[in-house]
Each structure stands twice: as C-alpha cells, then as structure tokens.
Amino acid sequence: MTRFVFITGGVVSSLGKGLASASLAALLQARGYNVRLRKLDPYINVDPGTMSPTQHGEVFVTDDGAETDLDLGHYERFTGVAARRTDNITTGRIYTDVIEKERRGDYLGATVQVIPHITDAIKEFILADVEEEDFVLCEIGGTVGDIESLPFLEAIRQLGNELGRERALYIHLTLVPYLKSAGELKTKPTQHSVTELQRVGIRPDIILCRSECALPPEERAKISQLCNVPADNVISAPDIETIYEVPICYHDQGMDRQLLRYFGLADDERKPNLKRWRRVVKRIRKPEREITIAVVGKYTSLIDSYKSLVEALSHGGIANNVRVRQKWIDAEIFESEDAVHQLDGAEGILVPGGFGERGAEGKIAAARFARERRVPYFGICFGMQMAVIEAARNLAGITSAGSTEFGDCPEPVVGLLTEWLHGGQVERRDHDTDLGGTMRLGAYECELRPKTRVRKIYRKKRISERHRHRYEVNIRYRKQLEKAGLCFSGMSPDGVLPEIIEFPEHPWYVGVQFHPELKSRPFEPHPLFASFIGAAIEQSHLV
Ligand code: GLN
C-alpha cells in the first residue's frame, strides 16, 4: 500500500521545503521503505526550461529528458532515486493537458472548470506511475495563501478524503522568526499560516518550524496548543551547518517515528540506519584542509542557478577529505586583458554550463589561462565548447573559430546540430524550432577511448550522462584539433557527437558536453568531480 505525504509551506517562500521533503524521504528510506518524491509547481510555465536561471535557479534534467525544478536535484542527492518526468508538474502542464483534451472533445460537452477538471488532473498526476513505493512525498510549491496554489491545495484536500486518514498525511513547513528587539521567537506567523491552511480544509498533522535556532519547549507547546497538533509533532528545523545534517536533526526529534505512528506502522520494526549520513557530515565538518576552485560563470548573482554544481564540488571534496572553497567569478570580468590574474591562487578552474554570447570571451580567456599555466581545468557543457574554441584559435590556427550560438560564424567549431540519434530514433531541430523542451535532453550514452584520462577515471568503456544543450562541437574540425594536441576521448556510440575532450599533456584538462553534476551524490561523489578535486590538491602542493 502506498501512502502519500503532502508538504506545504507557509509564511514566506525559500524556507527549504525541497530539502525538508528530501530529508524526510531519506529517513524513511534509511528505515528500509521505498520512497518517491514529487514536486507540484503552481506557475504557468509548462516546465522551468524556458525560465532564466537567475530567477528560478537551476533547471534539473532527469534521465528521461525532463527539465524540472531544482528541488528534484535535492530529492536525487538525498535518496539516490532517479527522478522521472512524472515527478514534476506545473499549472502550465496541467492546463495544457486539460485544454488539449477539451479540444479533442474528450469532455463530451461538459463545461470545463477548475473544479473538477483541473483538480482531477492534479490528482491523476499525484497517483500516476506509482508501483512499489511505500511512500510518495508530494511537495507543493509556493506559499499557502497564494492565489495560484489554490487548485493544488484543493486537489490534495480531496485526495486526503479519498485515500483516507491511513494513507494521507499533511506536513506544513513554516517560519518562526526571531525578533531581536524582543529577544524572542515568534509563533504568530505560524498560527496564521495554519489558519490559512485550515480555511481551505487542510489540517496539518506535523508542523515543521524553520528558525535561526532550535525551538524551545514553550514555543513548541504554544504551537501545539494553538495549531491543534500534538507537541511531539511540532518539529524544530533550525539553521544548521550542512544540509546533509538535516535528516539527522529531524530524526533526533522523532519526526520519522511520529510519521510512522500516524500511519500505524510499528516504530521499532525497522530502526533507521543513519551511519552514512553521520559519516558524510563528519567529513564536511572536519576536512583535512581547504582548496580553492575558481568557477567562472555567468549567473553568479544567484548561486541556486548552479545548485547541483555547488553540491557536486562539495562531494568531490568529501571524496578527497578537503573543503572546497568556491570562488565565483563573473566571466565578463575576464574580457579585459589583465583580469585573468584573478585566477592566480586558484588550484582549479571550472567553467560551467551557460547560454548566450555575454561572458563567452571571458570563459575562453579562463580556459586559455588554465591550459597555459597548467592549472586543472574542468569545462562543463558550455565550458567544454569554449575550451574547444580556445584550442581552435590558439593552437590549431583557426583564428576566427566560434559558435553559431552567437550568430553566423566563418569557422563554426561549435554549431547547431539539426539531427541526432536518440535510442535508435532520429531527432530533428532547426533554427525555427520552439525553445521549450527542444534541446538535446536527458541521458545519452558515450564511449570512452582506451588509454585516456576519462577512461581511467570512470573505469568503464561506456557511460551514460545527462545533457541539456542545443549546440555541439563540430566533428568536421576533429582532425585539425587532434593535430593541435586535443584528444576526443569520449564520443557518442555512433561516433558523430564529441562528448568529452582532454589534453593528455596537461595535468588535468577535461571538457564534457554533458552535465555530470546532475548525477553526483554525497555518498557517491561523481568520479569526474572526485578526480578534478584530487588534481587540484596535487596542484596546490606544487605552488
Ligand atoms: N549554450 C550551449 C548550448 O546550448 C551550452 C548549454 C549548456 O551549457 N547547458 O549548446
């Protein structure tokens, strides 16, 4: 029997509902239960693929090629369960489906309305594609009280009634602010938020309180009394040093026990095994030393736009027992000649994914600096494309090398790919194709050439990694680039798409067309990140 846990948020946004959901799922998983996490987003975009990363944060790509909310990244990192297309829905997607059905005449003359048609579609999504799961945790995006989340709240209210008490539980995450002038934590916003939730017919079973410090017993008692929840079900979620400690923090307060008791599942049957969580936290807290990686990107104003990257770098640190200090530098700075000295002192340089011409020359300059100074370089997606342009211009003598992403170009070393193979099928695009959902998306296989650095790192002949890009390194330049010393160490199985490049003579210089950060986990740091950080440590011994 699958049980459903609905997580709503109140008072303010950005409380970390995604992390809270992922942490609870991790606890249930540590007790041996099968879990699945889902995100329901109330915005009108069909998916976050077309949203600016500086507004909405990273777009997380699943193996099956869906562009999803960044919370799905937390879900994967905390549970190791690969998210699917069916795990993220938006208002836009729901309406698109309902309107398509209406046009087909599927509603047989009915007036199509928010209730029941939209709410039914939301319920269908929540219940679909569930098999062996013991628990499905559904996070509702937005804040209670927002107009756009109403249909979602109505749908989960109805589901609670339909599934019955023994299969549905509601968790409400709120903020308990600390008022300096009064020297107190304030519970009033939580009370109001719960009232707001009750107005739409939902009574929370567990209240999770975000605050700067741990919730004292009096405040807990107050929330319990005024919000109609047993005191043991009021859980404190204080700010802590590392996100990987959150599951331990919840467990220490009995959150998983309370949830299982609610469902009538004996608590003592399966004790959670939190050893690996404790080990990771210890490594993060007490690293042997610190190294600095310069990340030369574009969306540096909102660190959430590179969420998985930030985590993957820290996983690379965990693998090597070091703390990775990330020095984020806006690529545009490098467009002036001498700014490159900003990179002095960095033990590794990483150029992450990105879109558009702004900052591109700065990234090319950073790639050149890394190559010439023999500093470990990791180019991801756009970072690989810029590294190839750099090599073409400065090593292969193709001085006007560029990418067609920036307009017409005499030497398109990186160009728009109009046709490729995916799972035996040909996919086609051109310049006029819609922007949403049309990139090369999701998991693709890649063959690693023997005796290369990446082959040693992965210890495999064939790998599978996730993609999200429109442009590709142009295979027509391969010979020229190889002559100049660049090795094409990973190729698509049909030999058409360059997936990985490296400089064999350099201490560590790797560019990948995919996004390895999407598959890195605290317990299984991605091999490329672990190796890159290892190389940066080596480098630091040299200076
Ligand atoms: N803008 C590049 C492309 O579309 C790279 C995208 C990325 O870095 N994810 O190919």
Side-chain angles (χ1 to χ4, degrees), residues 80-310:
V81 178
R84 299 185 206 144
R85 183 175 290 279
T86 48
D87 292 329
N88 189 199
I89 197 96
T90 68
T91 298
R93 173 85 267 155
I94 298 268
Y95 271 83
T96 305
D97 292 353
V98 168
I99 291 169
E100 271 171 14
K101 269 191 177 173
E102 185 275 332
R103 292 290 81 186
R104 279 202 305 268
D106 289 2
Y107 293 112
L108 302 171
T111 308
V112 181
Q113 293 177 303
V114 174
I115 303 172
H117 300 96
I118 295 297
T119 45
D120 279 355
I122 297 172
K123 288 194 286 182
E124 257 169 51
F125 160 75
I126 294 172
L127 300 174
D129 196 21
V130 172
E131 291 151 20
E132 313 263 284
E133 288 81 357
D134 299 305
F135 292 98
V136 174
L137 290 86
C138 296
E139 177 192 344
I140 319 295
T143 308
V144 168
D146 294 347
I147 293 178
E148 58 257 34
S149 35
L150 280 174
F152 290 97
L153 296 176
E154 171 61 14
I156 63 168
R157 181 197 66 75
Q158 290 182 16
L159 263 183
N161 186 39
E162 287 159 28
L163 293 165
R165 191 200 167 278
E166 57 296 346
R167 287 188 66 197
L169 173 137
Y170 299 95
I171 297 180
H172 191 52
L173 177 71
T174 72
L175 176 71
V176 181
Y178 178 74
L179 275 201
K180 234 201 245 153
S181 54
E184 276 179 59
L185 283 167
K186 290 296 189 188
T187 63
K188 191 75 85 192
T190 299
Q191 295 171 42
H192 281 305
S193 183
V194 169
T195 307
E196 193 65 38
L197 198 56
Q198 281 172 343
R199 215 197 295 275
V200 294
I202 296 172
R203 224 194 86 185
D205 301 296
I206 294 179
I207 299 180
L208 198 50
C209 305
R210 288 283 291 111
S211 54
E212 277 174 44
C213 47
L215 204 63
E218 310 81 70
E219 269 68 27
R220 187 183 287 240
K222 210 163 160 190
I223 293 175
S224 156
Q225 192 178 45
L226 297 165
C227 300
N228 249 336
V229 169
D232 285 345
N233 289 12
V234 178
I235 309 288
S236 170
D239 292 347
I240 35 182
E241 200 179 317
T242 151
I243 54 169
Y244 297 115
E245 203 175 346
V246 177
I248 299 170
C249 167
Y250 289 177
H251 174 71
D252 289 346
Q253 297 179 69
M255 185 174 185
D256 43 333
R257 181 196 65 216
Q258 289 307 103
L259 181 138
L260 294 176
R261 280 195 186 154
Y262 170 94
F263 284 121
L265 295 165
D267 168 44
D268 51 3
E269 265 175 41
R270 313 177 188 187
K271 283 271 170 261
N273 181 354
L274 297 177
K275 251 193 232 144
R276 61 178 193 164
W277 289 97
R278 297 194 201 282
R279 213 176 308 131
V280 161
V281 170
K282 198 168 148 207
R283 282 216 164 195
I284 293 177
R285 281 201 166 162
K286 294 203 172 64
E288 276 167 14
R289 48 176 298 211
E290 187 176 274
I291 59 144
T292 303
I293 300 295
V295 184
V296 182
K298 180 165 159 186
Y299 317 111
T300 47
S301 58
L302 179 70
I303 218 73
D304 266 3
S305 33
Y306 295 111
K307 192 79 212 162
S308 296
L309 181 70
V310 169

Side-chain angles (χ1 to χ4, degrees), residues 353-356 380-382 385 405 468-471 515:
F355 293 84
I380 295 180
C381 204
F382 200 67
Q385 297 173 355
E405 182 169 357
R468 181 173 186 256
H469 53 102
R470 199 163 271 119
Y471 299 86
H515 288 277

Side-chain angles (χ1 to χ4, degrees), residues 404 414-422 425-433 438-440 444 469-476 494 496-497:
T404 56
V414 177
L416 182 73
L417 190 82
T418 50
E419 242 184 56
W420 63 88
L421 271 180
H422 193 198
Q425 304 242 328
V426 181
E427 295 208 18
R428 285 198 181 83
R429 310 277 188 269
D430 61 41
H431 281 283
D432 300 323
T433 311
T438 56
M439 287 189 240
R440 179 147 81 99
Y444 281 79
H469 53 102
R470 199 163 271 119
Y471 299 86
E472 306 278 347
V473 170
N474 191 339
I475 187 81
R476 283 196 287 124
D494 62 5
V496 177
L497 304 173

Side-chain angles (χ1 to χ4, degrees), residues 293-297 309 313 348-353 376-380 383 529 532:
I293 300 295
V295 184
V296 182
L309 181 70
L313 277 169
I349 296 171
L350 190 149
V351 176
Y377 177 84
F378 195 2
I380 295 180
F529 281 91
F532 173 57

Side-chain angles (χ1 to χ4, degrees), residues 287 317 346 366 389 494 519:
I389 292 175
D494 62 5
K519 286 179 65 168

